[in-house]
Amino acid sequence: MEVNGISAIITGGASGLGEATSRHLASLGAKVVVADLEGQREKGEALAAEIGGVFSPCDVTNTDQVIAAVEAAKELGPLKALVNCAGIGWATRTVGKDGEYSSAHDLEVFRKVVEINLIGTFNCIRLAATAMSQTEPLADGERGAIVTVASVAAFDGQIGQASYSASKGGVVGITLPVARDLSAVGVRVNCI
């Protein structure tokens, strides 16, 4: 797919892998929506200004904010790419040092990691793919490409990585069925 002239959304785009991806796609001629949390606004706006894109405040679990990022991308050019870099994780043991129920792994922490890393990834996929499905296909029928970001922890998680490994294993698990599903509308899905 020719990247020059398309628009692309990069979640978690203001730092780390997301920032590097934003810079790279912009260097190839894409108009990039740097989609990241409101708390990353300063970094996101500075990066967007530097690469000729736009910053869109976006919590990947918030449907309205994801739609706003999709609409921002559509204003820049045909939305043809989404890279899901947003993610969190921190080490927490399943059983606390004192063996008390109260010190067991916090279920809300587990839930939040899965909510952002897995459910947020799917939320972005479903909404960006909907917009991509409405674009004019290329000669080969392609309308767009989506990249999900997993981790070796999906297959070989370490002590304390239960929530992170579960979330990234889920990302690996959704990639193939979603790729098969979206092939009908010309959207490719790959996982790194």
Side-chain angles (χ1 to χ4, degrees):
M1 180 174 65
E2 175 63 43
V3 174
N4 189 34
I6 71 163
S7 71
I9 300 170
I10 313 303
T11 68
S15 64
L17 178 63
E19 178 183 359
T21 303
S22 295
R23 288 180 187 285
H24 181 67
L25 287 177
S27 77
L28 298 174
K31 297 295 183 189
V32 175
V33 173
V34 177
D36 213 318
L37 295 170
E38 181 62 42
Q40 291 284 77
R41 178 178 287 277
E42 189 175 324
K43 283 184 73 175
E45 286 180 344
L47 175 61
E50 179 186 330
I51 64 174
V54 298
F55 173 75
S56 184
C58 184
D59 172 341
V60 295
T61 67
N62 182 307
T63 296
D64 291 338
Q65 290 180 12
V66 174
I67 290 171
V70 169
E71 289 299 316
K74 288 168 53 178
E75 290 179 18
L76 297 175
L79 176 57
K80 298 280 187 184
L82 165 67
V83 183
N84 293 288
C85 296
I88 63 167
W90 52 89
T92 303
R93 287 189 174 257
T94 307
V95 174
K97 288 183 181 181
D98 61 8
E100 297 294 324
Y101 295 128
S102 61
S103 66
H105 191 305
D106 185 327
L107 191 56
E108 289 310 308
V109 168
F110 189 96
R111 187 174 279 120
K112 181 174 184 166
V113 171
V114 171
E115 179 80 16
I116 292 168
N117 295 359
L118 176 57
I119 297 170
T121 292
F122 184 73
N123 194 34
C124 292
I125 290 170
R126 73 187 184 94
L127 297 169
T130 297
M132 289 176 190
S133 75
Q134 300 166 5
T135 64
E136 191 64 33
L138 301 174
D140 63 359
E142 187 172 32
R143 285 191 166 97
I146 295 173
V147 176
T148 61
V149 176
S151 167
V152 70
F155 308 103
D156 190 19
Q158 302 301 308
I159 292 171
Q161 286 189 314
S163 60
Y164 185 75
S165 293
S167 69
K168 293 303 185 173
V171 169
V172 170
I174 67 170
T175 299
L176 184 57
V178 171
R180 288 176 171 150
D181 181 17
L182 294 180
S183 68
V185 294
V187 176
R188 202 167 17 97
V189 183
N190 295 96
C191 181
I192 59 168

PDB file of all heavy atoms in Angstrom, residues 119-134:
ATOM      1  N   ILE A 119      -9.341  -4.690  25.038  1.00  0.00           N
ATOM      2  CA  ILE A 119     -10.634  -4.128  24.637  1.00  0.00           C
ATOM      3  C   ILE A 119     -10.432  -2.800  23.914  1.00  0.00           C
ATOM      4  O   ILE A 119     -11.089  -2.529  22.906  1.00  0.00           O
ATOM      5  CB  ILE A 119     -11.580  -4.012  25.839  1.00  0.00           C
ATOM      6  CG1 ILE A 119     -11.859  -5.427  26.393  1.00  0.00           C
ATOM      7  CG2 ILE A 119     -12.873  -3.301  25.470  1.00  0.00           C
ATOM      8  CD1 ILE A 119     -12.583  -5.460  27.721  1.00  0.00           C
ATOM      9  N   GLY A 120      -9.497  -1.980  24.390  1.00  0.00           N
ATOM     10  CA  GLY A 120      -9.198  -0.718  23.707  1.00  0.00           C
ATOM     11  C   GLY A 120      -8.677  -0.939  22.300  1.00  0.00           C
ATOM     12  O   GLY A 120      -9.035  -0.218  21.371  1.00  0.00           O
ATOM     13  N   THR A 121      -7.827  -1.950  22.127  1.00  0.00           N
ATOM     14  CA  THR A 121      -7.326  -2.276  20.790  1.00  0.00           C
ATOM     15  C   THR A 121      -8.483  -2.648  19.878  1.00  0.00           C
ATOM     16  O   THR A 121      -8.586  -2.158  18.742  1.00  0.00           O
ATOM     17  CB  THR A 121      -6.291  -3.426  20.862  1.00  0.00           C
ATOM     18  OG1 THR A 121      -5.118  -2.942  21.532  1.00  0.00           O
ATOM     19  CG2 THR A 121      -5.905  -3.933  19.487  1.00  0.00           C
ATOM     20  N   PHE A 122      -9.379  -3.512  20.359  1.00  0.00           N
ATOM     21  CA  PHE A 122     -10.522  -3.900  19.532  1.00  0.00           C
ATOM     22  C   PHE A 122     -11.440  -2.717  19.250  1.00  0.00           C
ATOM     23  O   PHE A 122     -11.959  -2.569  18.136  1.00  0.00           O
ATOM     24  CB  PHE A 122     -11.306  -5.045  20.165  1.00  0.00           C
ATOM     25  CG  PHE A 122     -12.427  -5.511  19.284  1.00  0.00           C
ATOM     26  CD1 PHE A 122     -12.161  -6.241  18.137  1.00  0.00           C
ATOM     27  CD2 PHE A 122     -13.734  -5.182  19.570  1.00  0.00           C
ATOM     28  CE1 PHE A 122     -13.191  -6.650  17.281  1.00  0.00           C
ATOM     29  CE2 PHE A 122     -14.772  -5.576  18.728  1.00  0.00           C
ATOM     30  CZ  PHE A 122     -14.498  -6.320  17.580  1.00  0.00           C
ATOM     31  N   ASN A 123     -11.645  -1.857  20.231  1.00  0.00           N
ATOM     32  CA  ASN A 123     -12.482  -0.674  20.035  1.00  0.00           C
ATOM     33  C   ASN A 123     -11.946   0.180  18.886  1.00  0.00           C
ATOM     34  O   ASN A 123     -12.695   0.623  18.013  1.00  0.00           O
ATOM     35  CB  ASN A 123     -12.548   0.138  21.337  1.00  0.00           C
ATOM     36  CG  ASN A 123     -13.636   1.186  21.336  1.00  0.00           C
ATOM     37  OD1 ASN A 123     -14.706   1.007  20.765  1.00  0.00           O
ATOM     38  ND2 ASN A 123     -13.359   2.294  22.001  1.00  0.00           N
ATOM     39  N   CYS A 124     -10.641   0.396  18.873  1.00  0.00           N
ATOM     40  CA  CYS A 124     -10.032   1.189  17.799  1.00  0.00           C
ATOM     41  C   CYS A 124     -10.144   0.476  16.459  1.00  0.00           C
ATOM     42  O   CYS A 124     -10.431   1.106  15.428  1.00  0.00           O
ATOM     43  CB  CYS A 124      -8.564   1.478  18.124  1.00  0.00           C
ATOM     44  SG  CYS A 124      -8.362   2.583  19.534  1.00  0.00           S
ATOM     45  N   ILE A 125      -9.929  -0.831  16.457  1.00  0.00           N
ATOM     46  CA  ILE A 125     -10.041  -1.599  15.213  1.00  0.00           C
ATOM     47  C   ILE A 125     -11.437  -1.482  14.624  1.00  0.00           C
ATOM     48  O   ILE A 125     -11.605  -1.179  13.438  1.00  0.00           O
ATOM     49  CB  ILE A 125      -9.698  -3.088  15.444  1.00  0.00           C
ATOM     50  CG1 ILE A 125      -8.212  -3.269  15.734  1.00  0.00           C
ATOM     51  CG2 ILE A 125     -10.115  -3.933  14.232  1.00  0.00           C
ATOM     52  CD1 ILE A 125      -7.844  -4.676  16.199  1.00  0.00           C
ATOM     53  N   ARG A 126     -12.450  -1.724  15.431  1.00  0.00           N
ATOM     54  CA  ARG A 126     -13.813  -1.764  14.900  1.00  0.00           C
ATOM     55  C   ARG A 126     -14.247  -0.411  14.336  1.00  0.00           C
ATOM     56  O   ARG A 126     -14.927  -0.352  13.310  1.00  0.00           O
ATOM     57  CB  ARG A 126     -14.790  -2.273  15.953  1.00  0.00           C
ATOM     58  CG  ARG A 126     -15.093  -1.296  17.065  1.00  0.00           C
ATOM     59  CD  ARG A 126     -15.941  -1.883  18.191  1.00  0.00           C
ATOM     60  NE  ARG A 126     -16.252  -0.850  19.163  1.00  0.00           N
ATOM     61  CZ  ARG A 126     -17.367  -0.118  19.157  1.00  0.00           C
ATOM     62  NH1 ARG A 126     -18.291  -0.320  18.244  1.00  0.00           N
ATOM     63  NH2 ARG A 126     -17.547   0.812  20.064  1.00  0.00           N
ATOM     64  N   LEU A 127     -13.811   0.667  14.974  1.00  0.00           N
ATOM     65  CA  LEU A 127     -14.233   1.994  14.525  1.00  0.00           C
ATOM     66  C   LEU A 127     -13.412   2.476  13.332  1.00  0.00           C
ATOM     67  O   LEU A 127     -13.966   3.008  12.363  1.00  0.00           O
ATOM     68  CB  LEU A 127     -14.176   2.979  15.691  1.00  0.00           C
ATOM     69  CG  LEU A 127     -15.140   2.612  16.844  1.00  0.00           C
ATOM     70  CD1 LEU A 127     -14.855   3.449  18.075  1.00  0.00           C
ATOM     71  CD2 LEU A 127     -16.595   2.727  16.403  1.00  0.00           C
ATOM     72  N   ALA A 128     -12.094   2.276  13.366  1.00  0.00           N
ATOM     73  CA  ALA A 128     -11.266   2.666  12.217  1.00  0.00           C
ATOM     74  C   ALA A 128     -11.609   1.824  11.001  1.00  0.00           C
ATOM     75  O   ALA A 128     -11.691   2.350   9.875  1.00  0.00           O
ATOM     76  CB  ALA A 128      -9.784   2.543  12.564  1.00  0.00           C
ATOM     77  N   ALA A 129     -11.826   0.533  11.183  1.00  0.00           N
ATOM     78  CA  ALA A 129     -12.171  -0.338  10.054  1.00  0.00           C
ATOM     79  C   ALA A 129     -13.507   0.059   9.433  1.00  0.00           C
ATOM     80  O   ALA A 129     -13.685  -0.036   8.208  1.00  0.00           O
ATOM     81  CB  ALA A 129     -12.203  -1.795  10.493  1.00  0.00           C
ATOM     82  N   THR A 130     -14.438   0.512  10.252  1.00  0.00           N
ATOM     83  CA  THR A 130     -15.719   0.985   9.722  1.00  0.00           C
ATOM     84  C   THR A 130     -15.493   2.164   8.783  1.00  0.00           C
ATOM     85  O   THR A 130     -16.043   2.212   7.680  1.00  0.00           O
ATOM     86  CB  THR A 130     -16.670   1.365  10.876  1.00  0.00           C
ATOM     87  OG1 THR A 130     -16.941   0.187  11.641  1.00  0.00           O
ATOM     88  CG2 THR A 130     -17.969   1.949  10.361  1.00  0.00           C
ATOM     89  N   ALA A 131     -14.655   3.104   9.203  1.00  0.00           N
ATOM     90  CA  ALA A 131     -14.344   4.253   8.332  1.00  0.00           C
ATOM     91  C   ALA A 131     -13.585   3.803   7.095  1.00  0.00           C
ATOM     92  O   ALA A 131     -13.863   4.283   5.981  1.00  0.00           O
ATOM     93  CB  ALA A 131     -13.533   5.296   9.108  1.00  0.00           C
ATOM     94  N   MET A 132     -12.628   2.891   7.252  1.00  0.00           N
ATOM     95  CA  MET A 132     -11.870   2.395   6.098  1.00  0.00           C
ATOM     96  C   MET A 132     -12.786   1.710   5.088  1.00  0.00           C
ATOM     97  O   MET A 132     -12.590   1.826   3.878  1.00  0.00           O
ATOM     98  CB  MET A 132     -10.782   1.414   6.552  1.00  0.00           C
ATOM     99  CG  MET A 132      -9.643   2.055   7.289  1.00  0.00           C
ATOM    100  SD  MET A 132      -8.487   0.756   7.858  1.00  0.00           S
ATOM    101  CE  MET A 132      -7.434   1.712   8.939  1.00  0.00           C
ATOM    102  N   SER A 133     -13.779   1.010   5.576  1.00  0.00           N
ATOM    103  CA  SER A 133     -14.683   0.269   4.688  1.00  0.00           C
ATOM    104  C   SER A 133     -15.475   1.199   3.780  1.00  0.00           C
ATOM    105  O   SER A 133     -15.999   0.769   2.750  1.00  0.00           O
ATOM    106  CB  SER A 133     -15.645  -0.607   5.495  1.00  0.00           C
ATOM    107  OG  SER A 133     -16.664   0.159   6.113  1.00  0.00           O
ATOM    108  N   GLN A 134     -15.547   2.467   4.137  1.00  0.00           N
ATOM    109  CA  GLN A 134     -16.292   3.456   3.356  1.00  0.00           C
ATOM    110  C   GLN A 134     -15.421   4.174   2.327  1.00  0.00           C
ATOM    111  O   GLN A 134     -15.929   4.981   1.557  1.00  0.00           O
ATOM    112  CB  GLN A 134     -16.923   4.480   4.298  1.00  0.00           C
ATOM    113  CG  GLN A 134     -17.893   3.868   5.282  1.00  0.00           C
ATOM    114  CD  GLN A 134     -18.256   4.811   6.417  1.00  0.00           C
ATOM    115  OE1 GLN A 134     -17.869   5.968   6.445  1.00  0.00           O
ATOM    116  NE2 GLN A 134     -19.011   4.300   7.370  1.00  0.00           N
TER     117      GLN A 134
END
